[in-house]
Amino acid sequence: MNHQSLSNFIWSVADLLRGDYRQSEYGRVILPFTVLRRLDCVLAPTKDAVLKEAEAGRPDPFLIRAAGMQFFNRSPLDLAKLIGDQDNIGTNLLSYIQGFSAEVRDIFEQFEFAAQIDRLAKNGLLYQVTERFAGIDLHPARVDNAQMGLAFEELIRKFAEISNETAGEHFTPREVIRLMVNLIFVEDDEVLTKPSVVRSIYDPTAGTGGMLSIAEEYLREHNPTAQLTMWGQELNPESYAICKADMLIKGQDITKIVQGNTLSNDGHPTARFDYMLSNPPFGVEWKKVQKEVQDEHLRQGFNGRFGPGLPRVSDGSLLFLMHLLSKMRPWTEGGCRFGIVLNGSPLFTGGAGSGESEIRRYVLENDLVEAIIALPTDMFYNTGIATYVWILSNKKPQARTGKVQLIDASSFWQKMRKSLGSKRKEMGEAHIEDVTRLFGSFVEAQLATVLDASGKEVSRQIVIAGEAAPEAPEGGKVKLAPLSRIFPTQAFGYRTITVERPLRDEAGKPVLGQKGKAKGKMQPDSALRDTENVPLSEDIETYFEREVKPHAPDAWIDETKTKVGYEIPFNRHFYVFEPPRRLSEIDAELAGVTARIQVMLAELAA
């Protein structure tokens, strides 16, 4: 059973709820029941062995060993037995849930499942819903973890859509995660090949655990003996509960998955990690946690998480970036690489001296940015805006030292057969492989688009720097566009200088200061004050003499106001100028259109 069929089957339970529940409330019933049935099926093969240990009065470690999992249920009941006693279904279901080990009980508390059981019972629906779920087989041999994860995501997306919530806050498209996982692992030959290697991975915005799960799948494919310990934190109770259930079934230590707001209450304050992945919410204000974040910034500085600076309150994306920076395992202990999905704003918002600029300055001057990859638009469920994957590392290979790679993968997509919310495009396996290869080989490249004589696209080809572009077909042409570019980190820095011009009196003479340090000096006219951005690679005086002096010979620089800033004008580096058509072509086309209109008017008149 594929995840789509599975989610459709589970979704059919909504037919039972219709009328007694609003559509926006369906998830409160369907999600916890799905988790319950999954756990019920997972524990079924060892049920008798666990009951035997429980009847003997054995402590919990014995029951865990008998279950063969990190959790157990000591109740003699299961869903199949529950539907055999219709009159006591409510009492028995609550008793069954209380039979789970503590960590599983916490999952159902996050769902507030007891309240839903009571509500279903009052509406006469509890037995029918329980019976429906008891009839579906969710054992891992029938539905593997990957399919189960996709089914959960599909359900959450549907519930979010009908309740006008943001599905994208709960999970990230799978192909985006696969790309990010490829990029953080691709340069680490040791973790991909060394027997029994153990590494840690962390997601501070874990959602339903999709990023952690795909990272584990990837590593097992390449190195079956490798072990990945998973750590995470999630704010949304339902997403947290699903993530925790998924980790339980995988045999992970679920004490490493915590609930709460990552920015105001770090759930893993002393932990450091080998790899990290995150897709923080786009453009979400952080006013609710402003006091805690500002206090940490002021009190702890660079000893805390937010030393470099604070972004504007309207967008907290860069707070998550700094949080991840603080979680990097030191390079002396093997280092860390992480990927984070951000919108376009963190690339350039904020001038020199602003919080955003200071954060960019910190990551670039400390040589932490390996690459930034532009994704296609319409890739996420809740937004069609441009998005970017940042790859950061404190263990850069020598070839990457002091450099940043920009990759424009915005044209690497295929149309989906059916749109899902705002998501209309997806990256295919070939697209992911192409981006991974460009990143792994660390080369500059262009995308060659071959057009036939009619202007129709015939083919595309990646042309690595130094290679020859494909030849154009007869009457056609080849369009070249930059695809991968490599820059020194200094290329993104600049100094904002303040250019002053003298204040003049009614006679047109400069006004001189009369007191203190200003005495005898020309006073600036604030109305004529201007600023200029000078690249770090250029001498300020040379720039000033060339760009300012010819236009304002009386100008000077107020050096006390000079600030260093950093921005990454991604689109500017990939812009390709296309000259307009010749006027003769445009005139000929207009003449043809005019002639056709005159013919139609003549026909109408006739």
Side-chain angles (χ1 to χ4, degrees):
M1 183 181 291
N2 62 40
H3 77 277
Q4 188 67 51
S5 301
L6 175 60
S7 62
N8 287 342
F9 179 89
I10 297 170
W11 183 252
S12 68
V13 177
D15 293 334
L16 297 174
L17 304 177
R18 191 169 289 116
D20 295 288
Y21 277 77
R22 295 193 303 272
Q23 280 191 329
S24 60
E25 297 176 318
Y26 291 170
R28 300 179 186 179
V29 174
I30 293 175
L31 288 172
F33 260 107
T34 304
V35 170
L36 178 62
R37 181 54 177 158
R38 176 69 164 181
L39 299 178
D40 189 64
C41 291
V42 167
L43 292 177
T46 58
K47 183 77 174 176
D48 292 341
V50 171
L51 290 178
K52 187 175 180 180
E53 295 290 335
E55 289 167 2
R58 305 277 191 184
D60 288 359
F62 286 85
L63 274 64
I64 289 174
R65 186 173 65 184
M69 304 295 292
Q70 295 297 312
F71 63 101
F72 60 85
N73 188 309
R74 64 173 73 247
S75 170
L77 296 168
D78 56 25
L79 286 189
K81 290 178 180 176
L82 284 171
I83 60 174
D85 186 358
Q86 184 172 353
D87 294 335
N88 297 299
I89 185 73
T91 303
N92 288 343
L93 182 54
L94 287 170
S95 173
Y96 177 46
I97 291 170
Q98 287 302 310
F100 279 107
S101 46
E103 292 293 350
V104 176
R105 293 200 302 272
D106 176 59
I107 291 171
F108 291 104
E109 286 170 11
Q110 297 295 332
F111 279 123
E112 299 181 346
F113 193 40
Q116 297 308 319
I117 291 174
D118 184 53
R119 183 175 173 182
L120 287 167
K122 287 179 179 177
N123 289 314
L125 295 170
L126 183 58
Y127 180 80
Q128 296 176 65
V129 172
T130 305
E131 183 181 38
R132 185 71 63 90
F133 276 98
I136 184 172
D137 185 359
L138 296 184
H139 190 275
R142 171 104 167 125
V143 182
D144 64 27
N145 288 331
Q147 291 175 318
M148 198 70 232
L150 288 170
F152 275 127
E153 290 179 2
E154 178 72 7
L155 289 170
I156 289 174
R157 185 191 62 77
K158 286 183 176 180
F159 295 136
E161 281 184 356
I162 62 176
S163 60
N164 293 319
E165 292 180 4
T166 308
E169 290 182 1
H170 300 286
F171 57 92
T172 309
R174 288 273 162 144
E175 74 270 23
V176 176
I177 303 176
R178 282 198 297 273
L179 173 63
M180 295 172 70
V181 168
N182 278 15
L183 298 178
I184 66 169
F185 282 132
V186 69
E187 293 181 339
D188 290 355
D189 293 335
E190 182 176 308
V191 74
L192 298 176
T193 58
K194 186 177 179 181
S196 303
V197 67
V198 179
R199 291 291 185 269
S200 60
I201 189 165
Y202 168 63
D203 183 351
T205 53
T208 58
M211 285 193 168
L212 299 175
S213 296
I214 291 179
E216 183 187 43
E217 290 168 16
Y218 178 95
L219 194 55
R220 300 226 171 202
E221 284 174 15
H222 292 81
N223 186 357
T225 64
Q227 181 181 347
L228 198 61
T229 61
M230 302 183 194
W231 303 62
Q233 185 162 349
E234 172 56 29
L235 178 61
N236 180 276
E238 289 182 352
S239 297
Y240 163 72
I242 291 172
C243 178
K244 194 172 180 181
D246 190 37
M247 295 300 127
L248 259 179
I249 293 166
K250 286 182 168 71
Q252 289 286 330
D253 178 2
I254 57 172
T255 61
K256 293 179 171 61
I257 308 294
V258 299
Q259 194 199 4
N261 191 307
T262 303
L263 299 179
S264 60
N265 184 21
D266 183 1
H268 305 289
T270 60
R272 301 295 179 267
F273 307 101
D274 300 302
Y275 305 100
M276 297 183 283
L277 293 167
S278 179
N279 175 22
F282 298 153
V284 175
E285 68 173 25
W286 48 282
K287 197 168 186 178
K288 290 181 181 178
V289 296
Q290 187 173 1
K291 183 180 183 301
E292 293 88 342
V293 171
Q294 287 181 334
D295 284 350
E296 182 173 338
H297 171 67
L298 294 172
R299 285 188 294 103
Q300 298 187 40
F302 283 90
N303 291 324
R305 296 175 292 167
F306 309 118
L310 298 179
R312 62 197 66 193
V313 176
S314 59
D315 188 355
S317 299
L318 285 173
L319 292 178
F320 287 97
L321 175 68
M322 288 189 289
H323 171 78
L324 290 171
L325 292 173
S326 73
K327 297 296 179 186
M328 299 178 86
R329 189 179 299 284
W331 71 270
T332 53
E333 299 175 15
C336 171
R337 178 176 290 108
F338 71 82
I340 181 171
V341 182
L342 298 172
N343 61 14
S345 177
L347 290 168
F348 52 80
T349 299
S354 68
E356 291 90 348
S357 177
E358 287 299 292
I359 296 166
R360 289 190 292 268
R361 179 179 182 177
Y362 179 82
V363 296
L364 287 165
E365 289 189 350
N366 286 280
D367 200 15
L368 295 170
V369 183
E370 282 197 319
I372 300 174
I373 298 97
L375 299 178
T377 56
D378 300 321
M379 281 281 288
F380 287 77
Y381 301 97
N382 62 320
T383 181
I385 63 173
T387 50
Y388 301 81
V389 173
W390 293 46
I391 303 296
L392 292 92
S393 174
N394 60 2
K395 55 176 182 179
K396 278 189 175 185
Q398 187 174 356
R400 288 187 179 271
T401 302
K403 297 184 175 74
V404 176
Q405 183 179 17
L406 304 182
I407 300 174
D408 181 11
S410 60
S411 62
F412 285 26
W413 58 273
Q414 59 196 28
K415 191 174 182 180
M416 295 180 65
R417 285 176 301 195
K418 182 183 178 183
S419 297
L420 297 173
S422 296
K423 183 173 173 59
R424 300 176 182 88
K425 301 173 184 174
E426 62 184 359
M427 296 182 81
E429 287 298 326
H431 298 135
I432 294 172
E433 289 173 9
D434 285 340
V435 175
T436 304
R437 191 160 45 248
L438 286 170
F439 174 80
S441 55
F442 191 55
V443 291
E444 292 204 330
Q446 291 180 300
L447 182 63
T449 304
V450 180
L451 307 174
D452 62 18
S454 67
K456 184 180 179 181
E457 183 178 318
V458 176
S459 64
R460 289 185 177 189
Q461 180 179 324
I462 295 175
V463 181
I464 304 300
E467 293 181 354
E471 293 185 4
E474 186 176 350
K477 63 180 179 178
V478 176
K479 292 174 63 177
L480 292 172
L483 184 60
S484 170
R485 300 196 62 185
I486 298 169
F487 298 90
T489 55
Q490 191 184 42
F492 305 110
Y494 62 91
R495 283 154 297 190
T496 296
I497 60 172
T498 301
V499 178
E500 302 283 15
R501 296 183 66 184
L503 180 66
R504 297 181 183 274
D505 59 23
E506 293 179 357
K509 294 181 179 180
V511 176
L512 303 179
Q514 302 297 317
K515 296 179 181 179
K517 293 181 180 179
K519 188 173 182 179
K521 296 180 179 179
M522 285 191 295
Q523 296 303 291
D525 185 345
S526 60
L528 298 176
R529 182 174 295 144
D530 200 0
T531 58
E532 295 276 340
N533 289 341
V534 184
L536 286 181
S537 57
E538 186 165 359
D539 178 70
I540 289 179
E541 289 299 328
T542 303
Y543 177 93
F544 186 70
E545 290 295 329
R546 185 185 71 245
E547 300 291 340
V548 179
K549 277 290 190 178
H551 309 287
D554 56 357
W556 73 92
I557 299 172
D558 184 347
E559 295 181 355
T560 64
K561 296 179 180 176
T562 298
K563 295 179 180 178
V564 174
Y566 278 83
E567 66 174 8
I568 304 171
F570 196 100
N571 291 337
R572 188 192 307 165
H573 293 304
F574 291 90
Y575 173 72
V576 178
F577 174 72
E578 291 194 15
R581 289 184 300 160
R582 290 176 296 178
L583 282 174
S584 58
E585 289 182 16
I586 298 172
D587 287 340
E589 186 175 317
L590 286 172
V593 171
T594 303
R596 287 197 299 273
I597 292 173
Q598 288 175 340
V599 170
M600 287 189 287
L601 288 172
E603 290 174 350
L604 286 171

